[in-house]
Amino acid sequence: MSEPQTETQVLIAGGGPTGLSAAAELETHGIDTVIVEPRTYVSHTNPRAKLTNVRTMEHFRRLGLADDIREAANLPVDWSQEVVFCTSLLGDELARFDNVFGQNESEQYAETAQQIPQYLVEETLREGVREMSSVSLETGWRVESIEQDEDGVRATVVCCIERHSISEGERREISANYLLGCDGSRSTVRDQIGSSFEGDVNPRNNLGVVFRAPDLAERHHHGPAVHYWTLNNEIQGFMGRLDLEDKWWLIAVGVDDPNAVDPREIITKMAGDEVDAKVLTTDPWSARMLLVDNSRSGRVFLVGDAAHLNPPWGGHGYNTGVGDAIDIGWKVAAVLNGWGGPELLDTYEAERRDVHEDVIDISTTNMESSPADLISGELDSDENVDEDSYEDIAQEIYEKKKLEFHSLGLILGYAYDGSPIVVEEEAALPETGTVEYHPTSYPGSRLPHSWLSEDRSIYDLLGEGLSLVRFDREIDVSPFMSASETTSIPLEVVDVDHEDVARSYEQPLLLVRPDQHVAWRGSRCPDDAESILRRVCGYPVDDS
Ligand SMILES: Cc1cc2nc3c(=O)[nH]c(=O)nc-3n(C[C@H](O)[C@H](O)[C@H](O)COP(=O)(O)OP(=O)(O)OC[C@H]3O[C@@H](n4cnc5c(N)ncnc54)[C@H](O)[C@@H]3O)c2cc1C
């Protein structure tokens, strides 16, 4: 902990998963970044997010962090890909989902999802950014206030801990070209730019508990699962292991007074018997469905929980924040590196807002079919229920919870169609569902994934700027390449000589952005290649 750097290209307020991911993205484009973060170390008291989803893992792969995340995880991805519903952990099984959350290998994505508590993600990302030459992580400081003009942003940061040469409460000023407010749900940056949250808070109280229970894993007979949902008339919730030793988490849903309840009683009720358990932490919380009215003011952007909050069912919160970080990261970098146009930064809100709204809607639907709502009729943990009732309950569970455990349609299928920097086609984007992902290269979509060899993904070939993916070397790409030279927009031709793969891409020529989304596609180079390139990078173009 030293004096923070006083000038940088991008200042990031907040070193949670969103801020750290934004810094890693900016590093790939050579942008000088300072992260200001109050917490000097990452506490292991509360796991918060447990799921790093397929899309976030793909981003981490590109940023060189995916292997580190897997190594840090306590539950290997092949340990379990199942979710079990039961009357209690030691009771009867009601239903079972497999291949949950995209944890199984597939042609459709470059990385499987990974169960890993958020604190291990943050530690891994902290270690990762500390090794990055253009990122400086300043812990023990927080952003207090900001001001900006057309030349830049100045933030006053205040020291939060007493240290050798600097006293707690001392202030410094950091100047930057841009500031990313990644400072979480109580964002100071949001207040400073006069934005505010709109939406609802769910009145139901929930309680998170982390505990050690040395013999619990051996006592139940459901086998490995990433979640065990317990449904009985005394308590509803879900639980799982945090490691392969003795650490567990649980969330009890709809607890009347979470501050008064004895967490050991909750463990007993969810387990279905007395458990030898030591409670480590408790965390009462309520779900929030909030979206900021405005996520940009001039040179300042709100990213992650500072901009949107959703119920945690389905595990979308931090993953959506990482998606934001990637989107704003490459765009700010493009502008600072001189190839992003004057309208590029406006597209951050234009592209991400629909994603935020969808995530809030879908997470709310998941929450509304919470365990308490799934019990149709009497279901006691210690009472035998006839086969027919079990079958009815199982059916209801499959119908209502499918979306929560299988949502690749949302995670991989979201598209920026309608964005001003995407060249739309006359036909509309093919209908996409939320549950199943149907790959398409329609402009705005994530480039469909293919394995080119056992461990070589098509994504591994893409460049840091724009990529022109060509499935047929006969196609003349010189109009695009000379436009790239004239405009100084970085463009790399990526030849993919796999006929079997080419067919699924719908067109043989695809212009792909740094975030792996398709910006334009065609069967040959267009006559107006320069105007397409300029539009995709946020320059005004005359469409007439
Ligand atoms: C019970 C629960 C379960 C969840 N499960 C999942 C899940 O499975 N998957 C998922 O994707 N999400 C999940 N989430 C949501 C996830 O935890 C958040 O979405 C995620 O932490 C957001 O990351 P962030 O970096 O935007 O914000 P935060 O993690 O809140 O980080 C903000 C950072 O900013 C710092 N900060 C605060 N004020 C300042 C300031 N003034 N100046 C500088 N820095 C500041 C803070 O110290 C903090 O480090 C869950 C949440 C809960 C509560």
Side-chain angles (χ1 to χ4, degrees):
M1 284 164 288
S2 54
E3 286 282 347
Q5 207 174 300
T6 53
E7 266 181 48
T8 184
Q9 288 180 291
V10 179
L11 175 60
I12 298 180
T18 298
L20 293 164
S21 302
E25 176 66 36
L26 288 160
E27 160 82 12
T28 66
H29 303 281
I31 300 298
D32 193 29
T33 304
V34 172
I35 307 171
V36 171
E37 165 58 47
R39 293 175 299 146
T40 51
Y41 69 98
V42 178
S43 156
H44 283 213
T45 51
N46 181 356
R48 294 178 76 189
K50 268 84 64 190
L51 172 70
T52 295
N53 76 19
V54 167
R55 188 62 185 134
T56 300
M57 285 303 293
E58 286 184 342
H59 289 311
F60 287 163
R61 178 187 181 99
R62 187 171 49 80
L63 299 174
L65 296 163
D67 290 345
D68 298 338
I69 292 282
R70 297 232 190 262
E71 227 167 87
N74 289 325
L75 301 177
V77 72
D78 53 7
W79 173 72
S80 175
Q81 296 155 3
E82 302 197 349
V83 165
V84 168
F85 282 72
C86 43
T87 54
S88 67
L89 187 64
L90 305 182
D92 291 344
E93 179 172 320
L94 296 168
R96 183 178 286 263
F97 289 82
D98 58 13
N99 293 337
V100 293
F101 301 123
Q103 287 182 213
N104 54 311
E105 302 279 343
S106 166
E107 181 71 23
Q108 292 194 328
Y109 36 84
E111 291 284 339
T112 61
Q114 176 69 55
Q115 295 289 328
I116 174 170
Q118 186 169 327
Y119 49 73
L120 294 180
V121 172
E122 288 184 31
E123 281 179 354
T124 307
L125 297 182
R126 277 188 182 210
E127 274 169 39
V129 301
R130 282 202 170 102
E131 282 170 20
M132 295 177 181
S133 56
S134 51
V135 181
S136 164
L137 172 60
E138 303 290 353
T139 60
W141 295 87
R142 75 182 158 78
V143 170
E144 183 181 55
S145 62
I146 54 178
E147 51 185 56
Q148 60 173 319
D149 56 30
E150 56 191 33
D151 297 323
V153 192
R154 283 162 309 285
T156 302
V157 300
V158 57
C159 178
C160 327
I161 49 156
E162 197 66 34
R163 61 189 94 195
H164 182 57
S165 53
I166 308 162
S167 307
E168 188 178 345
E170 271 191 51
R171 288 171 173 73
R172 298 286 185 272
E173 194 167 276
I174 304 180
S175 309
N177 297 85
Y178 294 98
L179 187 146
L180 305 185
C182 303
D183 51 344
S185 59
R186 295 190 195 132
S187 172
T188 301
V189 175
R190 188 177 61 234
D191 293 345
Q192 288 285 305
I193 64 170
S195 288
S196 45
F197 269 146
E198 293 171 347
D200 293 317
V201 176
N202 187 279
R204 185 144 61 185
N205 294 317
N206 309 300
L207 183 68
V209 182
V210 176
F211 59 100
R212 288 196 187 281
D215 63 355
L216 192 54
E218 284 85 58
R219 284 181 65 193
H220 76 80
H221 56 269
H222 302 298
V226 296
H227 292 180
Y228 303 94
W229 287 63
T230 60
L231 269 62
N232 63 62
N233 284 332
E234 282 193 75
I235 194 149
Q236 292 86 40
F238 45 119
M239 62 201 301
R241 298 181 72 172
L242 280 171
D243 59 31
L244 293 179
E245 289 165 23
D246 58 355
K247 207 168 172 189
W248 289 71
W249 59 272
L250 70 76
I251 290 175
V253 178
V255 177
D256 285 341
D257 184 354
N259 292 309
V261 74
D262 179 353
R264 278 164 312 181
E265 239 175 69
I266 291 191
I267 297 170
T268 304
K269 284 181 180 167
M270 285 179 67
D273 196 5
E274 289 284 330
V275 173
D276 171 19
K278 179 170 184 242
V279 173
L280 301 178
T281 55
T282 57
D283 175 33
W285 56 273
S286 298
R288 293 169 288 178
M289 292 75 73
L290 301 175
L291 183 54
V292 82
D293 53 358
N294 191 359
S295 60
R296 177 186 185 184
S297 166
R299 293 173 168 272
V300 180
F301 299 84
L302 299 174
V303 187
D305 272 19
H308 49 84
L309 294 172
N310 57 272
W313 283 265
H316 296 294
Y318 120 74
N319 290 297
T320 307
V322 173
D324 298 345
I326 302 308
D327 191 81
I328 190 62
W330 79 261
K331 290 172 181 172
V332 164
V335 171
L336 286 168
N337 285 332
W339 57 274
E343 292 166 7
L344 187 60
L345 297 179
D346 284 338
T347 67
Y348 167 63
E349 178 141 26
E351 292 191 340
R352 294 302 294 171
R353 196 167 181 90
D354 283 354
V355 178
H356 300 158
E357 285 172 352
D358 286 353
V359 163
I360 291 173
D361 282 355
I362 286 163
S363 306
T364 306
T365 305
N366 291 339
M367 174 181 70
E368 283 167 354
S369 49
S370 79
D373 308 308
L374 288 169
I375 301 178
S376 49
E378 292 291 295
L379 188 59
D380 290 334
S381 55
D382 54 359
E383 193 178 281
N384 284 331
V385 178
D386 65 72
E387 283 287 312
D388 288 348
S389 303
Y390 270 4
E391 265 176 34
D392 290 348
I393 292 168
Q395 207 44 47
E396 202 176 338
I397 292 169
Y398 288 128
E399 269 163 33
K400 289 194 172 156
K401 299 309 279 183
K402 188 166 61 173
L403 175 64
E404 186 160 339
F405 309 120
H406 298 286
S407 56
L408 290 180
L410 169 73
I411 291 166
L412 300 178
Y414 69 85
Y416 300 135
D417 56 315
S419 162
I421 56 167
V422 162
V423 184
E424 278 203 45
E425 296 178 354
E426 271 180 26
L429 174 75
E431 273 295 310
T432 47
T434 307
V435 175
E436 289 191 12
Y437 165 61
H438 302 286
T440 172
S441 66
Y442 188 92
S445 311
R446 159 185 165 277
L447 179 74
H449 177 261
S450 292
W451 289 111
L452 302 180
S453 63
E454 200 185 329
D455 55 2
R456 194 151 174 79
S457 156
I458 191 168
Y459 296 158
D460 300 341
L461 307 184
L462 303 179
E464 280 150 26
L466 300 179
S467 301
L468 191 58
V469 177
R470 178 169 66 168
F471 290 101
D472 175 357
R473 283 180 191 258
E474 301 280 296
I475 298 174
D476 174 22
V477 291
S478 54
F480 263 130
M481 297 323 287
S482 43
S484 158
E485 239 179 272
T486 321
T487 57
S488 301
I489 292 171
L491 177 65
E492 251 177 63
V493 177
V494 174
D495 281 309
V496 183
D497 302 315
H498 290 64
E499 265 179 47
D500 47 329
V501 164
R503 250 169 278 124
S504 57
Y505 283 81
E506 296 158 357
Q507 289 287 5
L509 203 56
L510 305 156
L511 184 61
V512 182
R513 317 184 326 179
D515 60 355
Q516 301 164 341
H517 280 255
V518 177
W520 169 91
R521 66 178 182 174
S523 56
R524 59 174 188 84
C525 242
D527 300 335
D528 57 346
E530 182 173 329
S531 103
I532 286 179
L533 223 47
R534 291 175 66 80
R535 168 192 286 223
V536 166
C537 294
Y539 289 92
V541 284
D542 183 3
D543 276 336
S544 57

